[in-house]
Amino acid sequence: MKLPPQTAGLAAAVTSAATFGTSGAFIKPLLEAGWSPAAAVTARALTASLLLLPFVLFSLRGRWDALWRGRWRVAGMGVIAVAFTQLTYFAAIHRIPVSAALLIEYQAPLLLVVWVALTTRRPPRPAVLLGSVLAIGGLVLVIGPGALEAVDPLGVALAFAAAVGCAVYFVVAARPADGLPPVALAGAGLLLGGLTLALAGLIGIVPMTATTGDVPLLGSPVPWWVPLMVVAVFGTAVAYASGIFGSSRLGSRLASFVGLLEVVFASILAWIVVGERLTPVQMAGGVLILAGIAAIPAEPPKLPAADSVPDDRPTFADR
């Protein structure tokens, strides 16, 4: 039975948020073992792009023209959504608390609401405003009211830049496909983003350090590549591919609000994996985020451009 587009999009967006949420809990052992944040992100992006390569090739089936037509989406996904967002976020957490950086970065849904209001010259609907207040209020409770105490201007500016990059991710992901499958956009974007980060490390913009010893995970020592593979498979490959699919069905605004669930899932995984307990206030925040998402109206689904472009090759399911 085929799910309606918005139902399938919502399921994909929730899957993306849940899998993105694995990143923090499983990257943390690598960071504590001596990995620099940039090295960890570069490794996860490049590894995920290689894991997605067979799916990218299968989805395209020689239709390289689709990849060329979507080159600007790939560039936006790789350079801005992956590399720029990660670099600015990790630069921010060197100056302000992680909770503050997260709180600022996850203002991306509000940036999209403001952007739509400015470009359409129409004020947001009351339901959108209500959902925004509930979701951001819940975000503050999950991360912690203390996150609002960040005072370093440069750190705040860097975190805001990460929020802009996060918003760009949802906008790029929601653009009409024009024949480029979500998995191809994810794989190509991750490869480009990983190479961009590697270049940034090579020329000294960010420090690149890594170790190859065992790391502690769930109370036992494991090889360094175990948490890396968990993050590469689930927190990167699956997360980006499902997130792009979800955004293409829900639109950038609603998908960005569903993306706030990443903080909730990350908190739950941190409780399970590294023993960081959830408080009643955080649980209440999770409920508010869900209420905010429920209040946001869905955008009309966009018909992929590829569906209206004649092609002399056989069609196939690329989603």
Side-chain angles (χ1 to χ4, degrees):
M1 179 179 178
K2 187 176 181 180
L3 293 175
Q6 289 185 349
T7 302
L10 182 60
V14 172
T15 299
S16 178
T19 49
F20 266 130
T22 64
S23 300
F26 286 91
I27 282 290
K28 187 172 182 179
L30 293 177
L31 300 179
E32 292 177 342
W35 284 61
S36 67
V41 173
T42 302
R44 69 181 275 198
L46 290 178
T47 303
S49 68
L50 292 176
L51 291 171
L52 286 175
L53 182 58
F55 301 97
V56 172
L57 296 176
F58 178 79
S59 67
L60 289 173
R61 292 189 183 178
R63 289 172 39 174
W64 303 112
D65 57 320
L67 195 58
W68 174 250
R69 288 196 305 272
R71 61 191 181 279
W72 295 115
R73 291 182 72 210
V74 172
M77 182 63 63
V79 176
I80 299 178
V82 176
F84 175 80
T85 303
Q86 296 290 343
L87 285 175
T88 52
Y89 170 72
F90 283 122
I93 64 177
H94 281 295
R95 292 180 171 272
I96 61 178
V98 173
S99 57
L102 280 174
L103 183 61
I104 296 170
E105 182 184 4
Y106 279 95
Q107 300 306 305
L110 289 187
L111 294 181
L112 290 175
V113 170
V114 172
W115 173 254
V116 170
L118 291 175
T119 54
T120 62
R121 297 182 180 180
R122 290 181 298 184
R125 286 185 280 175
V128 174
L129 293 175
L130 174 62
S132 300
V133 171
L134 290 174
I136 300 304
L139 182 64
V140 171
L141 294 181
V142 172
I143 292 177
L148 298 173
E149 298 174 2
V151 293
D152 185 297
L154 181 56
V156 171
L158 288 166
F160 183 78
V164 173
C166 186
V168 169
Y169 160 72
F170 287 108
V171 171
V172 171
R175 295 285 295 172
D178 198 19
L180 183 63
V183 70
L185 175 58
L190 286 168
L191 177 60
L192 179 59
L195 292 175
T196 302
L197 287 166
L199 178 62
L202 184 64
I203 62 180
I205 296 178
V206 292
M208 286 282 187
T209 57
T211 61
T212 56
D214 289 351
V215 297
L217 185 66
L218 296 174
S220 302
V222 298
W224 61 271
W225 52 264
V226 171
L228 177 61
M229 289 302 295
V230 171
V231 173
V233 174
F234 297 101
T236 310
V238 174
Y240 275 97
S242 58
I244 292 169
F245 177 84
S247 294
S248 69
R249 293 299 190 268
L250 299 177
S252 58
R253 183 186 61 205
L254 180 54
S256 68
F257 276 93
V258 176
L260 293 177
L261 288 174
E262 177 188 340
V263 178
V264 178
F265 285 117
S267 299
I268 294 172
L269 282 169
W271 179 23
I272 296 171
V273 178
V274 295
E276 296 180 1
R277 297 184 61 185
L278 283 172
T279 66
V281 172
Q282 288 177 305
M283 295 179 185
V287 172
L288 281 180
I289 290 175
L290 289 172
I293 293 170
I296 300 293
E299 300 170 48
K302 298 176 181 179
L303 182 66
D307 291 346
S308 59
V309 176
D311 193 340
D312 57 358
R313 284 176 284 270
T315 59
F316 58 94
D318 57 5
R319 283 185 166 79

